[in-house]
């Protein structure tokens, strides 16, 4: 296992993995996850809905938008199906670059390198707060063709970026070099539907050194300024092109995440 993995303190990616039923977490993550679920019992429903949104968005981008290149920033712990599995099931030649800055994610992502023979997958260890470290990485330049559209996925990560981090500016810098016809797929944390419950969960994260910045619908829309939103626009993740495959009943008040996909037209 890679050096530098802090198992003593809870980590957001491992908490997420624990709550959605993964296996890559430690006692501190489980303690944190249990505390959060006590504060908001719908948290697992919310997190699964976010994951399902990502899967539908990637399938849309591969199947309907014809995208063959994906950049997943803040990828988190690999949970099947991963982006490359979904995209390559549609188009085996699809290429995917995963980005995260957690040593455990790097360790677990080594298995991602085996996609289809026709496609490619790569992993970059970098912090999204420094876009140049992603865009200038050899794995980025060697895996993705800069002249062909790329889908930038930023899923369930910007709520851990505070105002001083300038999340909107960072996403724009990541999009800027991508050619016309590229897409942005995002999910963005909000407290607009269950403010008390989500507020309590946010306090649990903050108590463990992970302060959150939850956004209103208007604030979420700032990420998509200048882009062409795909219908139905910016909606709670469970309302973005539902495909009827979900088995659990999801209430609006159980979801604290906006989701959207938008196209870069110039």
């Amino acid at each position: 296992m890679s050096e530098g993995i802090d198992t003593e303190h809870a980590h957001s990616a491992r908490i997420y993995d624990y709550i959605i039923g993964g296996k890559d977490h430690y006692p501190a993550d489980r303690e944190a996850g249990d505390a959060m679920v006590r504060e908001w019992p719908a948290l697992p429903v919310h997190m699964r809905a976010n994951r399902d949104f990502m899967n539908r968005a990637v399938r849309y981008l591969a199947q309907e938008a014809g995208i063959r290149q994906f950049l997943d920033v803040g990828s988190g712990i690999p949970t099947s199906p991963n982006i490359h599995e979904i995209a390559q099931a549609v188009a085996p030649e699809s290429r995917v670059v995963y980005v995260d800055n957690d040593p455990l994610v790097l360790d677990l992502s080594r298995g991602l390198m085996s996609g289809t023979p026709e496609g490619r997958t790569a992993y970059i260890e970098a912090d999204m707060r420094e876009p140049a470290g992603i865009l200038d990485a050899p794995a980025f330049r060697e895996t993705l063709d800069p002249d062909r559209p790329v889908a930038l996925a930023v899923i369930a990560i910007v709520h851990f970026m505070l105002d001083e981090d300038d999340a909107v500016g960072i996403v724009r810098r990541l999009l800027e070099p991508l050619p016309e016809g590229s897409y942005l797929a995002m999910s963005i944390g909000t407290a607009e539907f269950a403010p008390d419950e989500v507020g309590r969960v946010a306090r649990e994260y903050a108590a463990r050194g992970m302060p959150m910045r939850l956004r209103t619908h208007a604030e979420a829309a700032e990420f998509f300024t200048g882009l062409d939103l795909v219908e139905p626009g910016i909606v709670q993740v469970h309302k973005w092109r539902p495909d009827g495959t979900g088995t659990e009943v999801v209430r609006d008040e159980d979801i604290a995440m906006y989701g959207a996909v938008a196209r870069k037209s110039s």
Side-chain angles (χ1 to χ4, degrees):
M1 183 168 286
S2 299
E3 294 296 323
I5 298 174
D6 178 1
T7 63
E8 298 300 315
H9 299 91
H11 185 283
S12 58
R14 300 195 307 252
I15 295 168
Y16 182 84
D17 179 75
Y18 170 60
I19 291 176
I20 65 171
K23 58 182 177 18
D24 298 300
H25 39 73
Y26 297 97
D29 309 304
R30 296 191 283 275
E31 181 277 328
D34 290 343
M36 292 166 187
V37 172
R38 282 196 297 272
E39 295 293 354
W40 190 30
L43 187 58
V45 175
H46 154 81
M47 288 184 169
R48 286 192 295 268
N50 175 73
R51 186 80 192 183
D52 290 345
F53 159 75
M54 185 193 80
N55 296 349
R56 293 195 306 276
V58 170
R59 195 169 295 110
Y60 163 82
L61 288 163
Q63 206 157 18
E64 298 186 45
I67 296 295
R68 299 293 177 262
Q69 303 192 113
F70 296 81
L71 175 61
D72 182 19
V73 177
S75 55
I77 289 171
T79 303
S80 188
N82 295 291
I83 285 180
H84 73 281
E85 293 173 307
I86 298 169
Q88 290 176 352
V90 175
E93 71 274 20
S94 297
R95 295 176 168 224
V96 181
V97 173
Y98 294 99
V99 180
D100 208 291
N101 66 344
D102 178 13
L104 177 63
V105 173
L106 171 62
D107 211 64
L108 295 170
S109 294
R110 291 198 172 104
L112 292 175
M113 303 311 165
S114 56
T116 59
E118 304 94 326
R120 286 189 67 181
T121 60
Y123 180 87
I124 298 171
E125 187 169 13
D127 190 327
M128 74 175 291
R129 293 176 179 83
E130 300 174 3
I134 299 170
L135 300 171
D136 295 339
F140 176 84
R141 299 195 302 270
E142 293 164 5
T143 307
L144 303 182
D145 181 347
D147 297 323
R148 297 179 60 208
V150 175
L152 170 62
V154 184
I155 304 297
I157 191 69
V158 295
H159 53 274
F160 292 115
M161 302 180 74
L162 306 182
D163 288 344
E164 55 264 34
D165 296 318
D166 185 22
V168 173
I170 286 169
V171 171
R172 286 177 181 162
R173 288 198 291 278
L174 289 167
L175 270 176
E176 192 273 330
L178 306 183
E180 181 179 347
S182 292
Y183 282 81
L184 171 63
M186 286 189 74
S187 61
I188 301 160
T190 183
E192 291 195 304
F193 299 93
D196 294 339
E197 295 86 342
V198 176
R200 292 197 297 269
V201 171
R203 285 193 289 276
E204 291 289 342
Y205 273 104
R208 293 165 177 81
M210 294 172 280
M212 303 178 88
R213 170 66 163 87
L214 299 162
R215 291 171 170 84
T216 64
H217 188 277
E219 289 169 330
E222 293 175 19
F223 288 97
F224 302 96
T225 301
L227 304 177
D228 300 324
L229 283 162
V230 173
E231 288 295 330
I234 303 167
V235 295
Q236 285 176 282
V237 287
H238 67 301
K239 295 182 175 179
W240 196 89
R241 296 180 172 240
D243 56 12
T245 60
T247 55
E248 61 186 344
V249 175
V250 179
R251 305 175 304 162
D252 291 357
E253 57 267 35
D254 292 343
I255 303 298
M257 201 80 77
Y258 285 117
V261 175
R263 184 178 187 273
K264 182 178 179 180
S265 57
S266 60

